[in-house]
């Protein structure tokens, strides 16, 4: 399956759900349970040393969930994850109004808005 197919599969599921956006850890758990219920092979809290722990990985695509925080810090975190060899692409799943460049460290980067249900 291609990177785009993987991303479309995950976001295709998420677009049909409305999640509570008040607690980031609760949101992550709800997304995880939803994707598992849809038979998507998802890994949760995947270590990407030395860059930290990404919220989810699906077939080499890193998904980072953010509903609050400073944009610069979120950007740096996403950029750092794309430095890891296991990450083939990154999707920021957020309720924040922000963007990412189309590529970070030579890897595709996307923003999925939880409020509009669109990939930016």
């Amino acid at each position: 399956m291609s990177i785009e197919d993987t991303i479309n599969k995950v976001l295709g599921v998420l677009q049909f759900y409305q999640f509570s956006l008040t607690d980031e850890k609760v949101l992550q758990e709800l997304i995880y349970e939803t994707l598992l219920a849809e038979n998507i092979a998802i890994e949760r809290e995947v270590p990407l040393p030395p860059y930290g722990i990404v919220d989810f990985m699906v077939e080499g695509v890193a998904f980072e969930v953010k509903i609050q925080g400073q944009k610069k810090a979120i950007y740096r975190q996403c950029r750092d994850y794309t430095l890891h060899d296991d990450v083939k692409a990154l999707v920021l799943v957020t309720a924040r109004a922000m963007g990412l460049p189309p590529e970070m460290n030579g890897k595709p980067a996307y923003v999925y808005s939880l409020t509009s249900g669109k990939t930016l």
Side-chain angles (χ1 to χ4, degrees):
M1 185 176 295
S2 74
I3 289 169
E4 292 80 14
D5 289 342
T6 299
I7 293 168
N8 288 333
K9 182 177 178 180
V10 170
L11 299 182
V13 169
L14 295 184
Q15 73 179 348
F16 291 107
Y17 293 87
Q18 288 194 351
F19 299 99
S20 171
L21 303 177
T22 56
D23 183 303
E24 198 166 280
K25 288 295 180 189
V26 170
L27 173 61
Q28 291 169 1
E29 182 63 26
L30 291 171
I31 290 172
Y32 179 70
E33 290 173 5
T34 299
L35 294 175
L36 277 181
E38 294 289 336
N39 297 313
I40 293 177
I42 184 171
E43 298 176 75
R44 182 149 188 222
E45 296 186 354
V46 178
L48 299 173
Y51 308 109
I53 299 172
V54 70
D55 295 325
F56 305 110
M57 287 280 287
V58 179
E59 299 177 19
V61 179
F63 291 84
E64 182 64 15
V65 178
K66 292 290 181 197
I67 56 174
Q68 51 190 317
Q70 294 182 327
K71 290 180 182 182
K72 285 183 183 180
I74 294 168
Y75 175 86
R76 278 193 302 272
Q77 187 176 20
C78 290
R79 180 200 62 209
D80 289 352
Y81 290 157
T82 62
L83 289 168
H84 197 278
D85 289 341
D86 290 346
V87 175
K88 306 302 178 219
L90 178 126
V91 179
L92 172 62
V93 178
T94 186
R96 300 280 330 245
M98 70 175 287
L100 293 176
E103 283 191 359
M104 300 177 91
N105 297 306
K107 299 174 183 177
Y110 306 90
V111 177
Y112 178 78
S113 172
L114 288 165
T115 54
S116 71
K118 295 187 179 185
T119 306
L120 309 172

